[in-house]
Amino acid sequence: MKQGTFQILSNEPLTDSVYTMVLAEDTSAITAPGQFVNIQLAGKFLRRPISVCDWDSETLTIIYKVVGKGTAQMSSLVSGKTLDLLTGLGNGYDLSLSGDKPLLLGGGVGVPPLYALAKNLLAQGKTVSVILGFNKEAEVFYEDAFKALGCSVTVTTADGSCGTKGFVTDALPEDYTYFYTCGPEPMLKAVYRATNTSGQMSFEERMGCGFGACMGCSCKTLTGYKRICKDGPVMKKEEILWD
Ligand SMILES: Cc1cc2nc3c(=O)[nH]c(=O)nc-3n(C[C@H](O)[C@H](O)[C@H](O)COP(=O)(O)OP(=O)(O)OC[C@H]3O[C@@H](n4cnc5c(N)ncnc54)[C@H](O)[C@@H]3O)c2cc1C
Ligand code: FES
């Protein structure tokens, strides 16, 4: 884990309520797709955790949805301002288990961490299929970004206004070797039931410290108690114990 003062290079809307922010500083603590950063905001006691969407040695991209006061504050920040970030948090996805044809399933703001994952899997020569799930067409983002990487992309919307009508589980392909997913818990449960391979799921739970010190994110798994922030947020399908 590393603390740093990052400069905002850009902060632009992707949809009515979802923004993408690019920040610059030393990103050397980030080692795997699926990790997250924890953002300090003026006047807020708890930092806000947001997944790493993409990074290189000097910049970091995040995508966030405005759902409350903290994310609304973030959306008002202009380029040139700085933010205090903890980077290199969480375990991230394990790419070594993907097989040749991994399937990536993202729902809403569960989509961003899959972008760097797809990029890294493609760099390893894998054939990557992606299913992006949203409620309606106006909420769709990053379809073209995944296509530009070279992924096969399917969009699903609950109301059928774009792509396949239904949920990500209504568009499962016949042939995939492993899955990676991130999204709201009902979606993760549906993916858990509908998939016929092993896989990994990222849990975007509410949390406190974000680096393993407070036990505020502890949950029971089939392999003992785990802290979502440090032992996760990515869990293997075989270790998950639903409530
Ligand atoms: C590991 C991790 C990665 C995440 N990655 C992303 C990301 O890439 N993009 C993104 O938009 N969001 C992400 N989140 C969720 C994000 O942290 C919350 O939406 C944010 O902290 C809300 O802050 P707020 O002050 O705006 O909302 P608050 O005022 O704190 O809450 C507003 C509303 O949002 C709900 N809420 C708050 N936190 C969460 C949460 N973690 N999960 C579900 N509902 C929540 C509250 O219950 C409340 O209804 C992630 C969370 C975790 C733990
Ligand atoms: S949030 Fe503090 S231990 Fe996980």
Side-chain angles (χ1 to χ4, degrees), residues 103-108 130-136 139 154-173 181 184-191 193-194:
L103 173 65
L104 280 48
L105 309 107
V130 182
I131 308 176
L132 307 175
F134 300 94
N135 289 314
K136 54 184 182 194
E139 294 181 7
T154 305
V155 169
T156 65
T157 48
D159 70 355
S161 52
C162 181
T164 305
K165 184 175 178 3
F167 303 109
V168 290
T169 43
D170 292 313
L172 285 180
T181 188
E185 197 164 307
M187 186 198 110
L188 299 185
K189 279 186 180 160
V191 170
R193 283 194 298 267

Coordinates of all heavy atoms in Angstrom, one line a residue, residues 103-108 130-136 139 154-173 181 184-191 193-194:
L103 N -14.2 -15.5 -19.8 CA -15.4 -14.7 -19.9 C -15.4 -13.7 -18.8 O -15.3 -14.1 -17.6 CB -16.6 -15.7 -19.9 CG -18.0 -15.0 -19.8 CD1 -18.2 -14.3 -21.2 CD2 -19.1 -16.1 -19.6
L104 N -15.6 -12.4 -19.2 CA -15.7 -11.4 -18.2 C -17.1 -10.8 -18.1 O -17.7 -10.5 -19.2 CB -14.7 -10.2 -18.6 CG -13.2 -10.4 -18.2 CD1 -12.6 -11.7 -18.7 CD2 -12.4 -9.3 -18.8
L105 N -17.7 -10.7 -16.9 CA -19.1 -10.3 -16.8 C -19.1 -9.1 -15.8 O -18.7 -9.2 -14.6 CB -20.0 -11.4 -16.3 CG -19.9 -12.7 -17.0 CD1 -19.2 -13.7 -16.1 CD2 -21.3 -13.2 -17.3
G106 N -19.6 -7.9 -16.3 CA -19.6 -6.8 -15.4 C -21.0 -6.1 -15.4 O -21.7 -6.1 -16.4
G107 N -21.4 -5.7 -14.2 CA -22.7 -5.0 -14.1 C -22.5 -3.6 -13.6 O -21.9 -3.4 -12.5
G108 N -23.0 -2.6 -14.3 CA -22.9 -1.2 -13.9 C -21.5 -0.8 -13.6 O -20.6 -1.0 -14.4
V130 N -16.5 -10.5 -23.4 CA -17.0 -9.6 -22.3 C -18.5 -9.5 -22.4 O -19.0 -9.2 -23.5 CB -16.3 -8.2 -22.4 CG1 -16.8 -7.3 -21.3 CG2 -14.8 -8.4 -22.4
I131 N -19.2 -9.6 -21.3 CA -20.7 -9.2 -21.2 C -20.8 -8.1 -20.3 O -20.4 -8.2 -19.1 CB -21.5 -10.4 -20.8 CG1 -21.2 -11.7 -21.6 CG2 -23.0 -10.1 -20.9 CD1 -21.9 -12.9 -21.2
L132 N -21.4 -7.0 -20.8 CA -21.6 -5.8 -20.0 C -23.1 -5.6 -19.7 O -23.8 -5.5 -20.7 CB -21.0 -4.5 -20.7 CG -19.6 -4.7 -21.2 CD1 -19.2 -3.4 -22.0 CD2 -18.6 -4.8 -20.0
G133 N -23.5 -5.5 -18.5 CA -24.9 -5.4 -18.1 C -25.3 -4.1 -17.5 O -24.6 -3.6 -16.6
F134 N -26.3 -3.5 -18.0 CA -26.8 -2.2 -17.5 C -28.4 -2.3 -17.5 O -29.0 -3.2 -18.0 CB -26.4 -1.1 -18.5 CG -24.9 -1.0 -18.7 CD1 -24.3 -1.6 -19.7 CD2 -24.2 -0.2 -17.8 CE1 -22.9 -1.5 -19.9 CE2 -22.8 -0.2 -18.0 CZ -22.2 -0.8 -19.0
N135 N -28.9 -1.2 -16.8 CA -30.4 -1.2 -16.8 C -31.0 -0.8 -18.1 O -32.0 -1.3 -18.5 CB -30.9 -0.2 -15.7 CG -30.6 -0.8 -14.3 OD1 -30.8 -2.0 -14.0 ND2 -30.0 0.0 -13.4
K136 N -30.4 0.3 -18.7 CA -31.0 0.8 -20.0 C -29.9 1.4 -20.8 O -28.8 1.7 -20.3 CB -32.1 1.9 -19.6 CG -31.6 2.9 -18.7 CD -32.7 3.9 -18.3 CE -32.1 5.0 -17.5 NZ -33.0 5.8 -16.8
E139 N -27.4 4.2 -19.8 CA -26.4 3.9 -18.8 C -25.2 3.2 -19.3 O -24.2 2.9 -18.6 CB -27.0 3.0 -17.6 CG -28.1 3.8 -16.9 CD -28.7 2.9 -15.8 OE1 -28.2 1.8 -15.5 OE2 -29.7 3.4 -15.2
T154 N -20.6 -8.3 -25.7 CA -22.1 -8.3 -25.7 C -22.6 -7.4 -24.6 O -22.1 -7.4 -23.5 CB -22.6 -9.8 -25.4 OG1 -22.0 -10.7 -26.3 CG2 -24.1 -9.9 -25.5
V155 N -23.6 -6.6 -25.0 CA -24.2 -5.7 -24.0 C -25.6 -6.2 -23.7 O -26.3 -6.7 -24.6 CB -24.3 -4.2 -24.5 CG1 -25.2 -3.4 -23.7 CG2 -22.9 -3.6 -24.7
T156 N -26.0 -6.2 -22.4 CA -27.3 -6.6 -22.1 C -27.9 -5.4 -21.3 O -27.2 -4.7 -20.6 CB -27.4 -7.8 -21.1 OG1 -26.8 -7.6 -19.9 CG2 -26.8 -9.0 -21.8
T157 N -29.2 -5.2 -21.5 CA -29.9 -4.1 -20.7 C -31.2 -4.8 -20.2 O -31.9 -5.5 -20.9 CB -30.3 -2.9 -21.6 OG1 -30.9 -3.3 -22.8 CG2 -29.0 -2.0 -21.9
A158 N -31.6 -4.4 -19.0 CA -32.7 -5.0 -18.3 C -34.0 -4.7 -19.1 O -34.9 -5.5 -19.2 CB -32.8 -4.5 -16.9
D159 N -34.1 -3.5 -19.7 CA -35.3 -3.1 -20.4 C -35.2 -3.4 -21.9 O -36.2 -3.0 -22.6 CB -35.6 -1.6 -20.1 CG -34.7 -0.6 -20.8 OD1 -33.7 -1.1 -21.4 OD2 -34.9 0.6 -20.7
G160 N -34.1 -3.9 -22.4 CA -34.0 -4.3 -23.8 C -33.7 -3.1 -24.7 O -33.8 -3.2 -25.9
S161 N -33.5 -1.9 -24.2 CA -33.3 -0.7 -25.0 C -31.9 -0.8 -25.8 O -31.7 0.0 -26.7 CB -33.4 0.6 -24.2 OG -32.5 0.5 -23.1
C162 N -31.0 -1.7 -25.4 CA -29.7 -1.8 -26.1 C -29.3 -3.3 -25.9 O -29.4 -3.8 -24.8 CB -28.7 -0.8 -25.5 SG -27.1 -0.9 -26.3
G163 N -28.8 -3.8 -27.0 CA -28.2 -5.2 -26.9 C -29.3 -6.2 -26.6 O -30.5 -6.1 -26.9
T164 N -28.8 -7.3 -25.9 CA -29.7 -8.4 -25.5 C -30.6 -8.0 -24.3 O -30.1 -7.4 -23.3 CB -28.9 -9.6 -25.1 OG1 -28.0 -9.9 -26.1 CG2 -29.7 -10.8 -24.7
K165 N -31.9 -8.2 -24.4 CA -32.8 -7.9 -23.2 C -32.6 -8.9 -22.1 O -32.5 -10.1 -22.3 CB -34.2 -7.9 -23.7 CG -35.2 -7.5 -22.6 CD -36.6 -7.5 -23.2 CE -37.8 -7.1 -22.4 NZ -37.7 -6.7 -21.0
G166 N -32.4 -8.3 -20.9 CA -32.2 -9.2 -19.7 C -30.9 -8.9 -19.0 O -30.5 -7.7 -19.0
F167 N -30.4 -9.9 -18.3 CA -29.2 -9.7 -17.4 C -28.0 -10.4 -18.1 O -28.1 -11.1 -19.1 CB -29.5 -10.3 -16.0 CG -30.7 -9.7 -15.4 CD1 -31.9 -10.5 -15.3 CD2 -30.7 -8.4 -15.0 CE1 -33.0 -9.9 -14.7 CE2 -31.8 -7.8 -14.4 CZ -33.0 -8.6 -14.3
V168 N -26.8 -10.2 -17.5 CA -25.6 -10.7 -18.1 C -25.7 -12.3 -18.2 O -25.2 -12.8 -19.2 CB -24.3 -10.4 -17.3 CG1 -24.0 -8.9 -17.4 CG2 -24.5 -10.8 -15.8
T169 N -26.5 -12.9 -17.3 CA -26.6 -14.3 -17.4 C -27.6 -14.8 -18.5 O -27.6 -16.0 -18.8 CB -27.2 -14.8 -16.0 OG1 -28.3 -13.9 -15.6 CG2 -26.1 -14.9 -14.9
D170 N -28.3 -13.8 -19.2 CA -29.1 -14.2 -20.3 C -28.3 -14.2 -21.6 O -28.8 -14.5 -22.7 CB -30.2 -13.2 -20.5 CG -31.2 -13.3 -19.3 OD1 -31.6 -14.5 -19.0 OD2 -31.6 -12.3 -18.8
A171 N -27.0 -13.9 -21.5 CA -26.1 -13.8 -22.7 C -24.9 -14.7 -22.6 O -23.9 -14.5 -23.3 CB -25.7 -12.4 -23.0
L172 N -25.0 -15.7 -21.7 CA -23.8 -16.6 -21.5 C -23.4 -17.3 -22.8 O -24.3 -18.0 -23.4 CB -24.0 -17.6 -20.4 CG -24.0 -17.1 -19.0 CD1 -24.3 -18.2 -18.0 CD2 -22.7 -16.4 -18.6
P173 N -22.2 -17.3 -23.3 CA -21.8 -18.1 -24.4 C -21.7 -19.6 -24.1 O -21.7 -19.9 -22.9 CB -20.4 -17.6 -24.8 CG -19.9 -17.0 -23.5 CD -21.0 -16.6 -22.7
T181 N -15.9 -11.8 -12.7 CA -17.0 -10.9 -12.6 C -16.9 -9.9 -11.5 O -16.2 -10.0 -10.5 CB -18.3 -11.8 -12.5 OG1 -19.4 -10.9 -12.6 CG2 -18.4 -12.5 -11.1
P184 N -23.1 -5.8 -8.7 CA -23.9 -5.8 -7.5 C -24.2 -7.3 -7.1 O -24.1 -8.2 -7.9 CB -25.3 -5.1 -7.9 CG -25.3 -5.1 -9.4 CD -23.9 -5.2 -9.9
E185 N -24.4 -7.5 -5.8 CA -24.4 -8.8 -5.2 C -25.5 -9.7 -5.9 O -25.2 -10.9 -6.1 CB -24.6 -8.8 -3.7 CG -24.3 -10.1 -3.1 CD -24.1 -10.1 -1.6 OE1 -23.3 -9.3 -1.1 OE2 -24.8 -10.9 -0.9
P186 N -26.7 -9.2 -6.2 CA -27.7 -10.1 -6.9 C -27.1 -10.6 -8.2 O -27.4 -11.8 -8.6 CB -28.9 -9.2 -7.1 CG -28.8 -8.1 -6.1 CD -27.3 -7.9 -5.9
M187 N -26.4 -9.8 -8.9 CA -25.8 -10.2 -10.1 C -24.7 -11.3 -9.9 O -24.6 -12.3 -10.6 CB -25.1 -9.0 -10.9 CG -24.6 -9.4 -12.2 SD -23.4 -8.2 -12.9 CE -21.9 -9.1 -12.8
L188 N -23.9 -11.1 -8.8 CA -22.8 -12.1 -8.5 C -23.5 -13.4 -8.2 O -23.0 -14.5 -8.6 CB -22.0 -11.6 -7.4 CG -21.2 -10.3 -7.6 CD1 -20.3 -10.0 -6.4 CD2 -20.3 -10.3 -8.9
K189 N -24.6 -13.4 -7.4 CA -25.3 -14.6 -7.1 C -25.8 -15.3 -8.3 O -25.7 -16.6 -8.5 CB -26.4 -14.4 -6.1 CG -26.0 -14.2 -4.7 CD -27.2 -14.0 -3.8 CE -26.7 -13.9 -2.3 NZ -27.7 -13.3 -1.5
A190 N -26.3 -14.5 -9.2 CA -26.9 -15.1 -10.5 C -25.8 -15.7 -11.3 O -25.9 -16.8 -11.9 CB -27.7 -14.1 -11.3
V191 N -24.6 -15.0 -11.4 CA -23.5 -15.5 -12.2 C -22.9 -16.8 -11.5 O -22.6 -17.8 -12.2 CB -22.4 -14.5 -12.3 CG1 -21.1 -15.0 -12.8 CG2 -22.8 -13.3 -13.1
R193 N -24.6 -19.0 -9.9 CA -25.5 -20.2 -10.2 C -25.5 -20.6 -11.7 O -25.5 -21.7 -12.1 CB -26.9 -19.8 -9.9 CG -27.2 -19.9 -8.4 CD -28.7 -19.8 -8.1 NE -29.3 -18.6 -8.6 CZ -29.5 -17.5 -7.8 NH1 -29.1 -17.5 -6.6 NH2 -30.0 -16.4 -8.3
A194 N -25.3 -19.6 -12.6 CA -25.5 -19.8 -14.0 C -24.2 -20.3 -14.7 O -24.3 -20.9 -15.8 CB -26.0 -18.6 -14.7

